[in-house]
Structure formats: C-alpha cells, structure tokens
Amino acid sequence: MISRRRFLQLSGMTAAGLIIPKRLDGMTCDPSTADVMGLGPYWEPYSPFRSDFTSPDEPGTPLLLTGMVTANDCQTPISNVVIDAWQANNDGCYSVFQICETGNPENDELNLRGRVLSGPHGQYFIETIKPGHYPLGLDRFRPSHIHFMITPPAGDSLVTQLYFEGDDYLDGDTGSSDPNAVDRIIPLYETETGFEGTFNVILNIDPSQRAINTNIPTSDDIVRIKNISTFPNPFNSRVKIRFDMPKSGHAIVSVYDVKGRWIQTLKDGNIGRGEHILMWDGKRSNGLAIPAGEYFLSVQSLFDHQIQKILYLK
C-alpha cells in the first residue's frame, strides 16, 4: 500500500515536477500509439474509480505507475482524462472472465481493474502489481503487460498496452514486437517496496483544442446524457446547469475556456439516475473571477460526453 506521505507527494505534483517533457529531454515527441492487439477479450466496462487496484496481500511484486497526459506538444497537460486499466494477476489470470485459483485475497470481483482521472496538471498514478505472463498454450506466453483505454474530455479513446523492458517474451509477441510499441516498453526501477515506472501518455490533440475537439464520440441513445440546459445564457452572475443522467454512475462536469484550458470542475463523482442541477458563479477553481467571454461546459459520463457553449457577460 502507498504511504500517506507518498500519496500526497504524487497527488500534489505539478507538471514540471512530475516528468520532464520529451521535447525538453531531447527525445522525439510522437503521440502514443494504439496496440495492434486491440481491446482484447478481457475488458470490463464497469471498473471502479480507484488508484489502488490491489489488496495488501495480493501475491506479486508491487508496482507504482506514474505518468502525465499531455497534448501532442508533449508539454500541455490534459486534465480529467479517464484512464481505464486492467491486467492479469501474478499467475497470468484475469478476473471477471477467468476463474483465478490464486490471488485476490479479498474476493474483489473486479480485482486488478480500475479507472483513474488525470489531475489538473495531467498527472496520474496507479498502484498495482507487475502482471504475470499470460499463457497461450504449448509453452507460449504473452509478455507482462497492462491494458489501457484512455478517454480524453473530447475525442476518441486510445486503446493500447504497456510493456516492460527485459521481458523474455517481448520479441516473440505480436503486440510488443510491433515497431509502434517501442515507446510503450518502459523500464522499471526497484524500490524498497517493489517496482516503479513512468508511462507518459501523449494524445494526438492540438494544445489549443485539447478539450473542445469536434470529434466527440457518440454512443447508444439509451445511455446518452439528456436535456442539458444552461440558464440564463448569456449570464453575468450565476448560471444554472441542468441535465438528466440515464443511469447512475460517475460524472464529470467541468468548464473550459475557448482555448481548452481548464477553468473549474463543478462535479466529479458518482451521481444517481435522473435530473441534476448545478450552479456556476463564473469563477475559477481558486475563487478568482474569469474575464467576460465564451466558455465551454463539458458534461461527461462513462458512456457519453457532450459540450455546450456558455457566454459570460460583465
């Protein structure tokens, strides 16, 4: 388990303090690639929001993953990105879809699965274990890997996999031997408690459009957020935000300026089915007033994301 001190260190990191951007580090700046193996057979859409995927007694070597989500300049952070991760246990067995005879001491139905949100500076961290090798039969194995579905506030999801340097099965695996996977094979460093590694995610999003892409994913009507309204709009003191959730679940309601810069998060948590009303007073998260102009309201659930324009007058 991560210590309270370590948690505070990670959650309070700034973009500069977390990771040196690739462009400043003399490396190329290329968007993160999808894995040729695709989604795979073991994705579960209802993983909980949590940064710690394990119990204290989970077999295996503890692994702490940290990283930063940026736009395609490798420097502009993107907050409120949903990072959905899932993996095999120490013996290469996946919860939900397989009967795992080892691991999972707390009988967690969604063991070694979870979702986290990138923070205000694009940072995230995940506590888990180093996955075991997944057997393919006839003494063949997949290298140790972690699956990711990475969904920005606007735009398409990136489905990919993370691998680790020095694995005996890298060269013979379809996914990890693909040339486009080279930036997703990371080194791990031993610590007193296990391993630590850094996985930076570079989304193919222009910095000036990082939250307001027009390429917004669609979903079945039954799970779409409905009846989003803002009143008054334009507003000069407070605006009432109303929307209907088709089913209970996690929702993120945020405000961005026209350049995609985060202004304020009004809701970030589980909410029930039905009508919800929020108020925004035209201020940033630090309480300072915003200048007059156009802003974008982002309403995001697990299955849908919608954006509306708001005009603030003084």
Side-chain angles (χ1 to χ4, degrees):
M1 295 287 288
I2 194 169
S3 68
R4 175 175 171 79
R5 180 179 180 183
R6 182 65 169 144
F7 172 83
L8 293 173
Q9 287 174 335
L10 290 168
S11 59
M13 282 179 174
T14 65
L18 181 62
I19 296 156
I20 299 174
K22 284 190 174 184
R23 185 168 291 176
L24 300 182
D25 199 24
M27 301 176 65
T28 59
C29 180
D30 298 316
S32 298
T33 56
D35 195 274
V36 297
M37 304 292 283
L39 190 64
Y42 299 124
W43 177 63
E44 160 58 45
Y46 299 106
S47 296
F49 280 83
R50 58 185 178 186
S51 60
D52 189 349
F53 292 4
T54 70
S55 73
D57 299 319
E58 180 73 34
T61 304
L63 170 61
L64 175 64
L65 281 178
T66 60
M68 180 174 166
V69 185
T70 67
N72 59 17
D73 62 352
C74 296
Q75 298 183 63
T76 304
I78 305 181
S79 62
N80 288 338
V81 173
V82 179
I83 302 169
D84 186 352
W86 64 102
Q87 65 174 81
N89 69 8
N90 191 51
D91 283 346
C93 184
Y94 283 85
S95 64
V96 180
F97 296 90
Q98 296 178 314
I99 298 175
C100 301
E101 296 179 355
T102 62
N104 198 11
E106 294 184 352
N107 295 317
D108 180 358
E109 182 182 359
L110 297 167
N111 194 43
L112 300 175
R113 300 171 182 271
R115 284 175 288 184
V116 297
L117 291 169
S118 60
H121 304 288
Q123 78 278 19
Y124 77 92
F125 71 92
I126 292 172
E127 283 187 279
T128 184
I129 61 164
K130 187 173 183 290
H133 294 118
Y134 175 71
L136 298 174
L138 299 176
D139 296 323
R140 296 174 57 241
F141 294 87
R142 288 215 66 206
S144 179
H145 62 280
I146 299 177
H147 298 261
F148 286 88
M149 179 186 290
I150 301 163
T151 307
D156 291 330
S157 296
L158 170 68
V159 177
T160 194
Q161 294 182 35
L162 178 67
Y163 304 95
F164 308 105
E165 287 183 1
D167 195 297
D168 291 338
Y169 300 101
L170 288 175
D171 292 342
D173 183 74
T174 302
S176 56
S177 64
D178 176 48
N180 289 325
V182 63
D183 286 338
R184 294 184 279 108
I185 303 174
I186 66 167
L188 295 180
Y189 302 97
E190 285 196 63
T191 68
E192 294 180 356
T193 58
F195 290 122
E196 289 190 7
T198 298
F199 178 39
N200 294 330
V201 178
I202 305 166
L203 296 176
N204 194 18
I205 295 174
D206 186 271
S208 65
Q209 298 292 319
R210 66 182 186 269
I212 54 174
N213 301 28
T214 57
N215 184 22
I216 299 174
T218 59
S219 58
D220 294 338
D221 186 67
I222 193 171
V223 294
R224 289 185 64 84
I225 302 164
K226 295 181 174 63
N227 302 321
I228 299 177
S229 64
T230 53
F231 182 83
N233 188 11
F235 77 103
N236 61 11
S237 59
R238 303 180 74 193
V239 58
K240 178 188 288 187
I241 300 160
R242 180 193 175 281
F243 61 95
D244 289 342
M245 284 285 286
K247 61 190 300 184
S248 299
H250 198 95
I252 307 168
V253 182
S254 301
V255 179
Y256 296 84
D257 68 14
V258 292
K259 292 185 177 180
R261 293 174 297 200
W262 174 70
I263 299 296
Q264 173 73 281
T265 295
L266 307 177
K267 179 67 181 179
D268 181 357
N270 288 316
I271 62 175
R273 179 177 178 273
E275 181 185 74
H276 296 272
I277 295 175
L278 301 172
M279 305 296 295
W280 181 47
D281 58 3
K283 294 182 179 179
R284 301 179 185 273
S285 59
N286 59 9
L288 297 178
I290 60 170
E294 289 185 343
Y295 293 84
F296 288 92
L297 172 70
S298 166
V299 184
Q300 182 177 357
S301 70
L302 303 182
F303 302 100
D304 191 23
H305 175 255
Q306 297 187 42
I307 290 176
Q308 285 204 358
K309 187 180 292 186
I310 306 174
L311 180 60
Y312 177 55
L313 304 176
K314 281 192 174 181

